[in-house]
């Protein structure tokens, strides 16, 4: 028996031997085509090569391309499991010529491989050609020597292949294998062609035209070849079976499912095992290519597929989550051909397990509701749409899962009623929206979400990709076109541009199109939390709804933002480690040039705190652990130790970012929708540049990473060197030198003050009309010993201590008064010794009045005051004498 892996290898070897480049499968998410949900044919990755938009270093190629047909137009989901050849995931073997060869060589290659290399009996093969393609018909006759009745002309689009409304197309020729007359069915074009007897195994497309909007617009630059052979079908043929699910790969997956569920793939259980096997492949490959289950877009198609399989696992009686335990069997079968599957195995297992745990929580209750609602129904009856909606909304049953569950009992679901319930829920959400206060713009965004659904964000894994322009908005109003130099908002169906949210700034970059558009994306906002609104300025060309645009995120800027975002998580963890569990996030800004983090903590951080936090964060950066992302329900995430933000609204599922290795768990686990580094080493360097208070109990840290941190440190170093040069010392000596300088300058200030005082006192005289110098000693005023002195330039702060000293010099009871003039003003202090009943306050008030001032006060034994007119110092001293004489009389 020839294994599926052998057939794949043999096909690629054969065409490589014919000079074709062996090209690895492109990821399932098409990055060059915004109209497609998933790559659904082998030629999709080469679309732009056929049309001449792109050139490659080869002109012929061969590949085994991963394909998914589910969701969108080619929706095979309903039938999968119940037929012999329906799959949601399949592999397409193909050979391609981009102008190198055309029909004759393509037919020769195909015939040689099938009949010579693989030894298929020529009389088992039947060919179809497009009804007008005489050339193909005669080539088949010449090359394969087939009789006319086995070269069938078909007039339908079955034999005219087009990628879609837009893209390359051409007539095609299909090769059918006849399984024999014991199988019901007729040749292609006959009334019973849908039977299983004649099976199409290979489609050779003679690519010649380019279509736009479903109409042939032009010839391709060169006639080309695109062929597609379903690997599962040819494997069935070569393994002598008529059912794809009886081929080796499927048998192995079904056997694993049989073992784990302890049930046989027979009777009513057979479709369930087949569904599980098919959906396991699809789920595994989609997760490996970066799709995670969600409630929108591609993620929702994946969720529907996963949950459909999970319901069948439950149907088989699996008591515990099953799907993730089948992943090793999938990897064993297909990992050698697709190494990405091996690399992603842990993620696939974790994602499936998480999804199944989550789904099982509501599955039983949902099935009970379904049983109750259908208890009295019989074949042909219809389940109300509102019930299907409740199953969807409350129990997480995708619509087609409900359909699938009712299929065995021949019940239908009222789709229109389901859609109505969905619309009513959306209307209620709109009415409840508090919004920005600008009703008009909120309405606009709601209209756009209802019309087009949320924007699909493709920027977790990539920085560029095509998008279709859904709407153009100018000055808050929907318009038709943005032209040269105009600014406005552009909405696309899918975008790698991050919209500002969760503290992370929006991306910047450019939009281009083949029509010569060049627009700068200056910022991206995220209205309603669902739409990515690109704020653009058109530099050249124009942009209008319906255009296809190439989107390029400014990669360097994004890299800096990613580093700052991941560093913010590390900082948060380090703060909690160092300061305690009371630290919680109060605000955050993740920009390209810096990060800012506000957190609850009562006191300023010490330099030792800051140094320890920096050291811890940089330690994790150096360890360079990969950053892991998981999708979970918010509850599961919090149970898993994720730090959630209190008061923040989370959706049904959240991204959980884990970073670094902690003592007994991940170092940092946070819920976060932002973009992050792949491994912590990408942050390169972390530096705190400021720590301050925001409000009582809330501190703020600003920090830099990577190149910004390096530059900042460089500038600091330059300044230190400059200071060292000025000090004529080395940077290491700067702190010591500065401390010494400060000490020295303080000492000099002190000495200067002393000197000034000494000078002032030595120049002192009684001043004014009746001033007495100190040398004159105390005089007698009103029967008291009185020492009065006027000095110039004495610091007012020294007055009291000088008065105290003068009181000593009185040598007994008495009064000392000192007036100091400074810059035109005068200050006065009066001290009264014990045993004298006169109040110093009264004496000072007299002096203050003489100096043109007001007030003056203190205690009865020591009072102080001052006035603006220093020239009256002598009069003020006389006023003291007078007052003393008066109060003593
Ligand atoms: N593009 C064609 C198909 O998908 C042949 O590869 O059938």
């Amino acid at each position: 028996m020839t294994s599926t892996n052998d057939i794949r290898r043999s096909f690629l070897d054969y065409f490589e031997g014919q000079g074709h480049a062996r090209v690895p499968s492109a990821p399932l998410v098409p990055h060059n085509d915004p109209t497609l949900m998933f790559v659904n044919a082998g030629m999709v990755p080469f679309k732009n090569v056929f049309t001449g938009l792109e050139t490659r270093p080869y002109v012929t190629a061969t590949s085994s391309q991963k394909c998914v047909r589910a969701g969108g137009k080619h929706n095979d989901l309903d039938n999968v499991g119940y037929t012999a050849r329906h799959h949601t995931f399949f592999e397409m073997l193909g050979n391609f010529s981009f102008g190198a060869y055309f029909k004759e060589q393509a037919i020769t290659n195909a015939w040689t491989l099938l009949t010579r290399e693989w030894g298929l009996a020529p009389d088992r093969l039947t060919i179809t050609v497009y009804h007008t393609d005489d050339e193909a018909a005669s080539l088949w006759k010449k090359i394969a020597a087939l009789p006319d009745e086995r070269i069938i002309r078909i007039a339908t689009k079955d034999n005219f292949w087009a990628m879609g409304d837009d893209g390359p197309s051409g007539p095609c020729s299909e090769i059918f294998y006849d399984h024999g007359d014991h199988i019901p069915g007729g040749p292609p074009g006959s009334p019973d062609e849908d039977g299983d007897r004649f099976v199409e195994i290979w489609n050779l497309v003679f690519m010649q035209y380019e279509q736009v909007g479903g109409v042939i617009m032009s010839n391709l630059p060169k006639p080309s070849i695109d062929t597609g052979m379903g690997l599962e079908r040819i494997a069935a043929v070569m393994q002598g079976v008529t059912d794809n699910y009886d081929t080796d790969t499927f048998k192995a997956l079904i056997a694993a499912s049989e073992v784990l569920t302890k049930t046989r793939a027979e009777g009513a259980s057979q479709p369930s095992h087949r569904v599980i096997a098919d959906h396991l492949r699809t789920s595994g490959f989609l997760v490996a290519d970066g799709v995670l289950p969600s409630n929108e877009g591609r993620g929702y198609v994946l969720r529907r597929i996963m949950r459909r399989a999970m319901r069948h696992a439950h149907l088989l009686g699996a008591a515990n989550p099953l799907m993730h335990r089948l992943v090793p069997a999938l990897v064993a079968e297909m990992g050698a051909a697709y190494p990405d599957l091996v690399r992603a195995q842990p993620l696939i297992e974790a994602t499936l397990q998480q999804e199944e745990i989550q789904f099982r929580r509501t599955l039983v209750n949902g099935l009970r509701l379904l049983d109750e609602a259908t208890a009295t129904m019989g074949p042909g009856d219809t389940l109300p749409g509102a019930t299907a909606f409740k199953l969807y909304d409350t129990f997480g049953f995708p619509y087609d899962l409900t359909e699938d569950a009712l299929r065995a009992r021949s019940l239908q679901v009222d789709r229109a009623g389901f859609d109505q319930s969905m619309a009513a829920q959306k209307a209620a959400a709109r009415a409840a929206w508090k919004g920005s206060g600008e009703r008009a713009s909120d309405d606009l965004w709601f209209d756009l979400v209802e019309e087009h659904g949320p924007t699909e964000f493709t920027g977790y894994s990539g920085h560029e990709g095509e998008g279709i322009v859904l709407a153009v908005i100018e000055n808050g109003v929907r318009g038709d076109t943005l032209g040269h130099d105009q600014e406005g908002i552009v909405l696309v169906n899918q975008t790698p541009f991050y919209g500002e949210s969760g503290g992370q700034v929006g991306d910047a970059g450019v939009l281009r199109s083949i029509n010569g558009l060049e627009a700068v994306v200056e910022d991206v906002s995220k209205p309603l939390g669902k739409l990515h609104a690109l704020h653009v300025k058109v530099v050249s060309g124009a942009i209008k709804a319906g255009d296809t645009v190439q989107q390029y995120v400014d990669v360097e800027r994004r890299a800096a933002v990613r580093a700052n975002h991941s560093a913010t998580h590390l900082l948060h963890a380090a703060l909690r480690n160092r300061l305690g569990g009371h630290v919680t996030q109060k605000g955050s800004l993740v920009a390209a040039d810096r990060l800012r983090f506000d957190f609850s903590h009562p006191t300023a951080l010490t330099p030792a705190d800051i140094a320890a936090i920096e050291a811890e964060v940089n330690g994790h950066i150096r360890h360079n652990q990969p950053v892991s992302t998981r999708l979970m329900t918010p509850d599961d995430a919090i149970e898993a130790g994720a730090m959630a933000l209190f008061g923040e609204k989370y959706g049904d599922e959240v991204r959980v970012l884990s970073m670094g290795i902690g003592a007994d768990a991940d170092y940092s686990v946070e819920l976060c929708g932002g973009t992050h580094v792949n491994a912590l080493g990408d942050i390169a360097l972390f530096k705190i540049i400021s720590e301050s208070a925001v409000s009582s109990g809330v501190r703020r840290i600003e920090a830099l990473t990577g190149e910004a941190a390096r530059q900042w440190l460089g500038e600091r170093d330059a300044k230190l060197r400059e200071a060292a040069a000025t000090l004529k010392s080395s940077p290491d000596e700067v702190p010591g030198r500065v401390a010494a300088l400060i000490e020295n300058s303080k000492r000099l200030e002190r000495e200067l003050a002393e000197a000034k005082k000494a000078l002032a006192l030595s120049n002192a005289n009684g001043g004014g009309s009746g001033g007495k110098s100190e040398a004159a000693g105390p005089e007698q005023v009103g029967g008291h010993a009185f020492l009065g002195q006027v000095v110039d330039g004495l610091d007012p702060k020294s007055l009291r201590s000088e008065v105290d000293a003068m009181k000593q010099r009185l040598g007994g009871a008495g009064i000392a008064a000192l007036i100091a003039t400074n810059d035109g003003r005068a200050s006065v202090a009066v001290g009264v010794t014990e045993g004298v009943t006169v109040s110093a306050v009264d004496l000072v008030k007299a002096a203050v009045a003489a100096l043109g001032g007001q007030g003056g006060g203190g205690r009865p034994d020591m009072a102080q005051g001052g006035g603006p007119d220093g020239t009256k110092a002598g009069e003020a001293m006389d006023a003291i004498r007078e007052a003393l004489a008066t109060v003593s009389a």
Side-chain angles (χ1 to χ4, degrees), residues 758-779:
L759 184 65
L761 294 175
S762 71
N763 287 341
N765 56 64
S769 56
K772 289 270 177 354
S773 75
E774 186 193 346
E779 53 192 297

Side-chain angles (χ1 to χ4, degrees), residues 131-298:
H131 65 130
T132 55
D133 196 353
D134 297 333
E135 186 190 3
S138 63
L139 283 168
W140 276 113
K141 202 172 164 68
K142 181 177 111 188
I143 294 161
L146 289 173
D148 285 345
E149 68 274 16
R150 299 237 312 280
I151 303 173
I152 302 170
R153 288 176 187 256
I154 304 276
T156 66
K157 63 178 176 13
D158 278 354
N159 278 66
F160 193 94
W161 199 88
M163 197 189 137
D165 286 348
D166 298 338
S169 69
C172 63
S173 186
E174 296 186 325
I175 305 173
F176 286 75
Y177 184 80
D178 178 2
H179 276 291
D181 56 12
H182 60 293
I183 308 279
S190 70
D192 49 355
E193 64 175 359
D194 287 340
D196 286 340
R197 179 173 166 187
F198 289 87
V199 174
E200 180 215 329
I201 54 170
W202 203 346
N203 184 13
L204 314 184
V205 184
F206 311 125
M207 294 285 204
Q208 268 172 290
Y209 309 112
E210 182 166 2
Q211 295 193 173
V212 178
V215 180
I216 292 177
M217 294 297 275
S218 53
N219 288 330
L220 292 183
K222 288 179 188 155
S224 296
I225 291 295
D226 148 38
T227 85
M229 174 192 276
L231 177 59
E232 298 74 10
R233 292 177 175 209
I234 189 69
V237 166
M238 291 180 68
Q239 293 173 16
V241 295
T242 55
D243 191 320
N244 292 2
Y245 288 92
D246 289 332
T247 59
D248 57 341
T249 301
F250 279 101
K251 280 205 294 206
L253 299 180
I254 288 170
S257 165
E258 287 181 320
V259 169
L260 290 180
T261 59
K262 301 192 183 65
T263 58
R264 299 297 306 274
E266 290 167 355
S269 295
Q270 193 196 48
S272 293
H273 283 287
R274 292 177 163 208
V275 165
I276 288 168
D278 176 274
H279 293 8
L280 173 68
R281 298 199 328 157
T282 316
S283 307
F285 278 96
L286 282 177
V287 171
D289 281 345
V291 183
L292 292 172
S294 79
N295 279 342
E296 311 289 351
R298 297 185 173 103

Side-chain angles (χ1 to χ4, degrees), residues 265-460:
E266 290 167 355
S269 295
Q270 193 196 48
S272 293
H273 283 287
R274 292 177 163 208
V275 165
I276 288 168
D278 176 274
H279 293 8
L280 173 68
R281 298 199 328 157
T282 316
S283 307
F285 278 96
L286 282 177
V287 171
D289 281 345
V291 183
L292 292 172
S294 79
N295 279 342
E296 311 289 351
R298 297 185 173 103
Y300 193 54
V301 174
L302 172 60
R303 164 157 292 162
R304 280 160 49 203
I305 290 170
M306 284 183 167
R307 292 194 168 187
R308 188 166 183 261
M310 288 161 187
R311 189 187 71 86
H312 281 277
H314 182 260
L315 215 54
L316 292 175
N320 295 307
L322 169 77
M323 295 300 287
H324 68 287
R325 291 184 288 146
L326 292 170
V327 176
L330 173 67
V331 172
E333 283 301 307
M334 306 190 69
Y338 297 99
D340 282 347
L341 201 61
V342 184
R343 272 195 285 279
Q345 182 172 351
L347 178 67
I348 300 168
E349 289 176 352
T351 307
L352 279 167
Q353 184 178 18
Q354 204 55 47
E355 183 71 14
E356 200 160 353
I357 290 172
Q358 189 184 330
F359 181 47
R360 275 177 173 258
R361 283 193 194 132
T362 53
L363 177 66
V364 175
N365 289 336
L367 289 173
R368 191 177 305 134
L369 173 81
L370 192 60
D371 285 344
E372 285 164 12
T374 56
T376 57
M377 290 188 187
D381 285 351
T382 300
L383 180 78
T387 312
F389 183 73
K390 183 161 187 204
L391 284 165
Y392 160 83
D393 198 35
T394 313
F395 300 103
F397 279 36
Y399 176 83
D400 33 26
L401 189 147
T402 301
E403 262 187 344
D404 193 56
L406 298 182
R407 181 184 176 115
R409 293 172 52 201
S410 302
L411 300 176
Q412 272 125 50
V413 190
D414 170 19
R415 174 85 218 196
F418 177 88
D419 291 342
Q420 251 169 28
S421 300
M422 181 76 98
Q425 193 198 46
K426 283 184 179 159
R430 179 195 284 240
W433 175 257
K434 303 273 186 305
S436 61
E438 288 177 53
R439 195 72 237 177
S441 75
D442 286 343
D443 274 348
L444 171 71
W445 297 126
F446 268 111
D447 288 347
L448 287 165
V449 169
E450 267 167 39
E451 233 171 279
H452 302 290
T455 314
E456 182 147 2
F457 178 56
T458 57
Y460 285 123

Side-chain angles (χ1 to χ4, degrees), residues 747-761:
R747 186 176 52 78
L748 289 175
E749 270 171 25
R750 245 182 352 254
E751 284 176 9
L752 181 63
E754 290 292 322
K756 271 184 167 173
K757 188 163 93 185
L759 184 65
L761 294 175

